[in-house]
């Protein structure tokens, strides 16, 4: 579909699914990450690079082989990306390094959103992480409040719930060495998420609004469409679109939000890449989030209906985490999914370790009740197979 080569910084599961989408359209990809990383396993190119997305020389090597650079993780070396403009004037970087820079520091991201009149949870930077400074934050925000690492956070690693004044020493110890900020507790009734596509000519399109359920800070389930009054659905989609309009550069973005009981919606955080809450799009939507990302950065056509959930499609995504007790024990869940109509299993080619994201299952059916019935069988909550 396009003769240009797309270089991907990062070769985890998001990179793997990007490569799969690129393969479908015969678009050449080159991956920079460790040997045999999940994305490399699905593409036999000899050009993949063994190295790191945080190493300047490795990034430069990748740039020398590609027409377009993109990311599957935001924790990349931004100063190097910015410096590539001089060395490789024709190279396109999507999303823009400036956007990645703003987003990879969660506090800077918040400041930027506030400047653009987007509602977020009240936050304060911590320059001097002492018990006294956290006590005064506790007085201001009340308890619980969130202590968060500004950078390199994922799957809740980098978050600590400060329940009361006596948990402050433990919080400081847990996040020792990280640049920190504190965030007021958001008493949400639902967590929502929307995938947004931004084109090279700055058009912005939203996928449906989904509800995510987190367990131990890791996304566990994703329901699409989210069960919401239409007014809230529209408000969430509009907020996500407006937030992404404020950033620069093309590609797919994941927008995580908190719905409060008074109907207010706050943005939790934004990911400048494909997102766990968008995996359902592979089987439920006309175009997956991964293909949409490629179409956006390659300036390929994106008809208005690309993000539509075909009539009567409802879907639940279940994340597969490495079993806590039995090595590869999670494969039992996959086996039950394979017995279930409308269930699609994705395994990422990662070594199974307790609690590690190793795959996901999409369940697609004509009603949420039916999706739930199938999920109950897959997870073992019910023993009645769905035929
Ligand atoms: P991700 O894997 O999505 O990048 P992360 O490590 O960046 O996760 P956050 O998104 O900041 O972490 O938080 C993880 C989860 O913790 C949220 O999805 C939400 O359930 C809870 N959480 C985060 N911030 C708050 C808050 N201010 N109030 C209440 N709950 C919160
Ligand atoms: Mg995050
Ligand atoms: Mg998050």
């Amino acid at each position: 579909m396009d003769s240009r080569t797309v270089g991907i910084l990062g070769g985890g599961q998001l990179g793997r699914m990007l490569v799969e989408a690129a393969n479908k359209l015969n678009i050449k990809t080159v991956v920079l990450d460790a040997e045999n990383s999940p994305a490399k396993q699905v593409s036999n190119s000899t050009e993949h690079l063994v190295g790191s997305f945080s190493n300047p020389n490795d990034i430069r090597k990748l740039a020398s082989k590609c027409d377009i650079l993109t990311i599957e993780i935001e924790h990349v070396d931004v100063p190097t990306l910015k410096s590539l403009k001089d060395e490789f004037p024709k190279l396109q970087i999507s999303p823009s390094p400036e956007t990645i820079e703003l987003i990879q520091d969660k506090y800077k991201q918040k400041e930027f959103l506030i400047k653009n009149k987007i509602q977020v949870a009240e936050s304060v930077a911590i320059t001097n992480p002492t018990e006294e400074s956290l006590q005064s934050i506790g007085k201001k925000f009340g308890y619980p409040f969130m202590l968060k690492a500004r950078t390199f956070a994922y799957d809740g690693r980098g978050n600590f719930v400060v329940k009361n004044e006596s948990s402050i020493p433990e919080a400081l110890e847990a996040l020792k060495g990280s640049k920190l900020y504190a965030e007021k507790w958001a008493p949400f009734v639902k967590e929502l998420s929307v995938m947004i596509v931004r084109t090279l000519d700055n058009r912005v399109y939203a996928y449906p609004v989904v509800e995510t359920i987190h367990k131990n800070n890791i996304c566990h389930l994703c329901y699409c469409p989210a069960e919401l009054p239409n007014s809230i659905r529209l408000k969430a989609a509009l907020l996500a679109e407006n937030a992404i309009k404020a950033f620069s550069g093309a590609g797919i973005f994941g927008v995580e939000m908190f719905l409060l009981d008074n109907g207010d919606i706050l943005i939790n955080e934004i990911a400048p890449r494909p997102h766990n809450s968008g995996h359902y799009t592979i089987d439920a939507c006309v175009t997956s989030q991964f293909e949409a990302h490629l179409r956006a950065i390659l300036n390929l056509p994106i008809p208005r209906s690309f993000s539509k959930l075909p009539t009567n499609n409802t879907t639940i995504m279940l994340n597969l985490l490495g079993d806590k007790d039995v090595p590869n024990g999670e494969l039992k869940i996959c086996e039950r999914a394979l017995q279930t109509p409308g269930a699609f299993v994705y395994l990422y080619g990662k070594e199974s370790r307790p609690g590690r994201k190793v795959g996901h299952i999409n369940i697609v059916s004509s009603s949420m009740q039916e999706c739930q019935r199938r999920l109950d069988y897959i997870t073992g909550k019910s023993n009645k197979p769905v035929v």
Side-chain angles (χ1 to χ4, degrees), residues 11 20 33 38 42-43 55 57 80 91-92 99 131 149 170 175 231 238 347 364 373:
E20 283 170 336
D33 209 335
V42 295
S43 154
N55 179 305
N57 283 334
T80 302
L91 181 75
Q92 177 192 319
T99 290
E131 288 187 28
E170 199 192 334
L175 298 181
S231 58
L238 197 65
L347 290 169
V364 185
R373 194 163 77 93

Side-chain angles (χ1 to χ4, degrees), residues 89-358:
K90 285 196 183 143
L91 181 75
Q92 177 192 319
I93 307 177
S94 296
S96 73
E98 290 73 21
T99 290
I100 302 169
E101 185 177 37
L102 276 172
I103 287 180
Q104 69 179 194
D105 181 329
K106 286 166 119 178
Y107 185 70
K108 270 195 201 163
Q109 185 192 134
K110 288 234 152 57
E111 284 187 312
F112 179 79
L113 290 170
I114 291 167
K115 210 170 80 193
N116 284 280
K117 305 200 163 41
I118 306 287
Q119 274 196 304
V120 296
E122 196 182 335
S123 300
V124 54
I126 299 173
T127 42
N128 182 23
T130 59
E131 288 187 28
E132 294 71 41
S133 67
L134 262 64
Q135 281 162 5
S136 67
I137 290 168
K139 284 205 182 86
K140 184 170 174 221
F141 284 173
Y143 293 94
F145 70 86
M146 270 284 191
L147 188 64
K148 292 192 178 185
R150 289 173 61 153
T151 50
F152 302 111
Y154 70 100
D155 287 346
R157 283 176 230 202
N159 284 2
F160 195 100
V161 181
V162 185
K163 292 199 182 91
N164 46 46
E165 205 173 286
S166 59
S167 52
I168 287 176
E170 199 192 334
L172 285 171
E173 182 59 29
L175 298 181
K176 199 167 64 185
S178 298
K179 248 170 104 181
L180 300 175
Y181 79 102
E183 202 172 291
K184 197 167 176 177
W185 191 254
F188 58 83
V189 287
K190 277 187 180 167
E191 281 196 80
L192 306 177
S193 178
V194 180
M195 298 307 304
I196 300 279
V197 186
R198 211 190 133 99
T199 63
L200 280 167
D201 57 0
N202 304 321
R203 281 171 294 136
V204 159
Y205 299 113
Y207 274 95
V209 181
V210 304
E211 178 180 358
T212 53
I213 310 272
H214 288 71
K215 230 191 209 175
N216 304 323
N217 282 293
I218 300 185
C219 178
H220 171 48
L221 290 164
C222 174
Y223 290 83
C224 178
E227 201 191 333
L228 293 170
N230 250 336
S231 58
I232 299 285
R233 201 190 306 282
L234 287 172
K235 194 166 154 181
L238 197 65
L239 178 65
E241 283 178 7
N242 284 338
I244 299 309
K245 274 183 192 158
F247 291 94
S248 63
I252 190 104
F253 291 80
V255 183
E256 300 176 13
M257 289 168 280
F258 298 128
L259 170 65
L260 309 182
D261 66 356
N262 63 1
D264 280 356
I265 305 176
L266 306 176
I267 289 202
N268 170 24
E269 62 164 348
I270 291 172
R273 51 162 170 82
H275 190 261
N276 201 164
S277 70
H279 290 352
Y280 75 92
T281 60
I282 304 174
D283 296 301
C285 294
V286 177
T287 309
S288 79
Q289 62 163 341
F290 302 99
E291 185 173 327
H293 180 67
L294 293 167
R295 289 194 196 201
I297 67 175
L298 287 156
N299 208 18
L300 293 171
I302 302 184
R304 266 211 151 288
S305 58
F306 83 99
S307 62
K308 283 257 157 14
L309 211 51
T311 322
N312 291 335
N313 256 11
T314 54
T315 168
I316 301 179
M317 184 223 58
L318 167 71
N319 259 347
L320 273 175
L321 304 187
D323 194 273
K324 292 227 157 32
D325 305 314
V326 187
N328 294 308
E330 66 281 1
L331 294 180
K332 278 221 175 79
I333 299 176
C334 298
E335 209 175 298
R336 289 169 83 97
L338 292 181
Q339 294 163 8
T340 306
F344 304 85
V345 176
Y346 296 83
L347 290 169
Y348 303 149
K350 288 160 77 174
E351 192 196 329
S352 174
R353 285 191 228 123
R356 189 183 197 198
K357 271 184 198 166
V358 292

